Amino acid sequence: QVQLVESGGGLVQAGGSLRLSCAASGRTFSGYAMGWFRQAPAKEREFVAAIGWSARTREYADSVKGRFTISRDNAKNMVYLQMNSLKPEDTAVYYCAARTGPGTSFRSYEYAYWGQGTQVTVSS
């Protein structure tokens, strides 16, 4: 069992930056690949980024490549999402998720554990 708690969301102007954090507790954090997903109003949840347990593998949605960076600190049981050059279309609730195994995945159903989400709002 892994518990995940996101933080760092908020209101930012277009072009600005935010850094989301996800604190994990429970079983050995380093044994899990981690992902960030987001869900905008009236839209389905979509993949944003993922990182393997060793951080050697990272995967990004095309819509965020070059603007967002996912990272993790296994010693602190933390995963981060640095978001730069934010756009109004990035507005959504952002969720941290964990999946058993070393590899990344863009498929939400492969993630067994989810946080409660943090709201990111980008104004134009």
Side-chain angles (χ1 to χ4, degrees):
Q1 190 80 10
V2 176
Q3 292 80 42
L4 304 171
V5 178
E6 304 94 335
S7 61
L11 173 64
V12 64
Q13 287 189 332
S17 297
L18 280 175
R19 187 195 196 204
L20 304 184
S21 299
C22 174
S25 60
R27 301 186 68 178
T28 305
F29 176 69
S30 60
Y32 293 85
M34 302 297 295
W36 286 97
F37 291 78
R38 67 187 181 187
Q39 188 167 17
K43 292 188 177 182
E44 293 188 354
R45 189 171 299 187
E46 65 174 1
F47 170 74
V48 175
I51 187 168
W53 64 269
S54 68
R56 284 198 294 264
T57 304
R58 306 182 197 210
E59 187 176 354
Y60 296 94
D62 288 343
S63 59
V64 307
K65 278 181 183 176
R67 300 189 298 122
F68 291 11
T69 302
I70 189 171
S71 61
R72 66 189 295 163
D73 185 337
N74 287 343
K76 296 181 179 179
N77 286 6
M78 297 291 295
V79 64
Y80 306 99
L81 185 68
Q82 178 66 44
M83 305 186 295
N84 299 328
S85 302
L86 282 161
K87 304 175 181 179
E89 51 263 44
D90 294 318
T91 294
V93 177
Y94 283 71
Y95 297 90
C96 174
R99 67 182 294 267
T100 305
T104 60
S105 175
F106 61 88
R107 302 178 181 88
S108 61
Y109 61 80
E110 294 190 4
Y111 291 79
Y113 305 103
W114 293 82
Q116 83 290 348
T118 185
Q119 176 70 46
V120 172
T121 302
V122 184
S123 63
S124 58

